[in-house]
Amino acid sequence: MALDIKKIGIIGVGQMGKGIAHVCAVAGFDVVLTDTNADVLKSALAGIEKDMNRLVKHDKLSDADIKGALKKISTSKDYKGFKDCQLVIEAAIEDEQVKKQIFKDLCEDIGPDTIIATNTSSISITRLGAQTDRPGKFVGMHFMNPVPRMDLVEMIRGIATDEDTYKTVRELATKLGKSPVNAEDFPAFIVNRILLPMINEAIYTLYEGVGSVLAIDTAMKLGTRHPMGPLELADFIGLDTCLAVMHVLHDGLADTKYRPCPLLVKYVEAGWLGRKSGKGFYDYAGDEPVPTR
Ligand code: NAD
């Protein structure tokens, strides 16, 4: 029987966790957030409020909506605060070992019926689900960035995911105003299987000197009508996430066409992760982003 979802726990309050909390609270669900970084957790509500206020400017939310939604969100320093959640959505960093440890710890503190969804961009739902005590109640729920503005949610069943779980979470995506699309459990699913190799190729194009950052982004915007250039988009996604997805594609599909560009590796090693660290293919210190090559 489909579970009646009222309260949703969210693990990881980075750009995705914040966005997921935002849409869940606006849709009327109670939300509880946790993150290993205490500073991130402390500033989470202020960050979500700032994002909500941007939507007021576009007449998508009223001040009263925001007030009501923010009241629905609380934080917890550990998973004990998740014990009365019917659903937990994991949105921590794209690292398989980190996610596996999260699921092991989480299962000790939540009820046996609680569904676990992961927002992973690329990692096998079957493999992650196998780390839990409930692979039948484990599912992939892949939101797009920025969550409040993007309509798609990719829905992915692991081999063991039961139909009630899949249906419950798919219905929830609809209640959040999103359009769910089914993807099978192969590395990086649909969107990132197509998008990330394109971004990686754009980085090779830069690495080989075919064009500058600005030339590549301008060419792709004007030449293919993409709203953002691929390097600008890579910075927006986070270069650490881009690299992690390329590793999953390369390892999972064993094809050299997915090898991560050495320049992407170098940027991540330098801590140049894109917008979230203030520098990637662009430097975000000033009013306007400035290309770093
Ligand atoms: P982010 O770097 O902005 O945030 C990750 C957060 O996870 C950080 O706040 C970090 O402190 C926290 N964290 C790390 N280890 C943790 C742990 N053990 N327990 C709890 N929290 C922990 O990353 P993001 O862009 O929000 O990505 C999060 C997830 O969403 C990843 O799996 C990513 O692949 C996926 N995703 C990202 C995008 C995107 O465009 N960035 C789009 C769709 C899905």
Side-chain angles (χ1 to χ4, degrees):
M1 215 180 59
L3 200 64
D4 189 15
I5 301 206
K6 294 196 168 74
K7 187 168 182 181
I8 300 172
I10 297 175
I11 303 173
V13 198
Q15 47 184 347
M16 294 307 291
K18 276 208 269 289
I20 297 166
H22 172 148
V23 295
C24 290
V26 167
F29 295 95
D30 291 315
V31 175
V32 49
L33 308 172
T34 196
D35 197 294
T36 40
N37 183 329
D39 293 337
V40 162
L41 201 55
K42 219 166 134 193
S43 62
L45 263 135
I48 295 169
E49 185 172 6
K50 201 167 149 203
D51 289 343
M52 287 181 174
N53 276 319
R54 281 202 197 112
L55 294 182
V56 174
K57 288 188 196 125
H58 299 97
D59 285 338
K60 297 236 163 91
L61 281 181
S62 68
D63 288 333
D65 292 336
I66 294 184
K67 239 177 154 184
L70 288 173
K71 272 197 202 138
K72 296 253 163 207
I73 307 175
S74 61
T75 60
S76 171
K77 61 180 182 0
D78 52 37
Y79 302 131
K80 303 242 180 323
F82 285 26
K83 65 177 185 315
D84 51 352
C85 290
Q86 292 78 35
L87 169 70
V88 175
I89 303 175
E90 175 277 317
I93 50 169
E94 189 72 350
D95 179 311
E96 186 161 337
Q97 294 318 317
V98 169
K99 289 187 190 294
K100 282 180 173 171
Q101 190 59 49
I102 285 174
F103 296 131
K104 272 194 194 142
D105 297 341
L106 174 70
C107 287
E108 289 174 14
D109 282 326
I110 54 174
D113 294 331
T114 303
I115 292 175
I116 306 174
T118 174
N119 184 48
T120 178
S121 298
S122 59
I123 303 167
S124 162
I125 304 303
T126 300
R127 217 159 55 228
L128 291 177
Q131 295 304 308
T132 71
D133 57 3
R134 64 197 75 196
K137 295 187 191 304
F138 190 92
V139 68
M141 187 183 200
H142 182 217
F143 290 86
M144 303 294 126
N145 186 19
V147 181
R149 297 215 335 249
M150 299 293 277
D151 290 336
L152 178 69
V153 175
E154 271 182 296
M155 295 293 317
I156 311 110
R157 291 178 181 86
I159 200 166
T161 307
D162 64 46
E163 260 331 278
D164 279 346
T165 296
Y166 180 82
K167 263 201 211 142
T168 303
V169 177
R170 197 179 164 113
E171 271 166 27
L172 173 77
T174 310
K175 285 183 191 161
L176 299 179
K178 305 296 177 197
S179 303
V181 167
N182 186 66
E184 295 304 319
D185 190 17
F186 286 95
F189 322 122
I190 297 173
V191 172
N192 285 333
R193 170 80 176 260
I194 299 167
L195 180 65
L196 262 298
M198 187 201 70
I199 287 176
N200 194 48
E201 199 59 32
I203 302 170
Y204 268 112
T205 311
L206 177 68
Y207 179 61
E208 290 169 10
V210 182
S212 64
V213 168
L214 217 51
I216 292 166
D217 276 349
T218 307
M220 289 301 286
K221 280 191 280 191
L222 300 184
T224 64
R225 278 194 189 269
H226 287 191
M228 284 172 117
L231 301 173
E232 195 187 349
L233 181 57
D235 274 1
F236 186 66
I237 293 170
L239 301 189
D240 52 341
T241 301
C242 291
L243 180 59
V245 174
M246 288 312 299
H247 279 309
V248 170
L249 282 167
H250 195 218
D251 296 347
L253 298 168
D255 190 324
T256 54
K257 75 177 175 182
Y258 298 114
R259 70 197 194 285
C261 178
L263 190 60
L264 173 60
V265 175
K266 197 182 273 190
Y267 270 54
V268 173
E269 284 173 350
W272 293 11
L273 306 182
R275 273 185 182 271
K276 64 183 168 188
S277 71
K279 196 189 240 185
F281 293 109
Y282 294 84
D283 188 324
Y284 298 92
D287 289 341
E288 291 295 322
V290 177
T292 50
R293 304 189 150 231

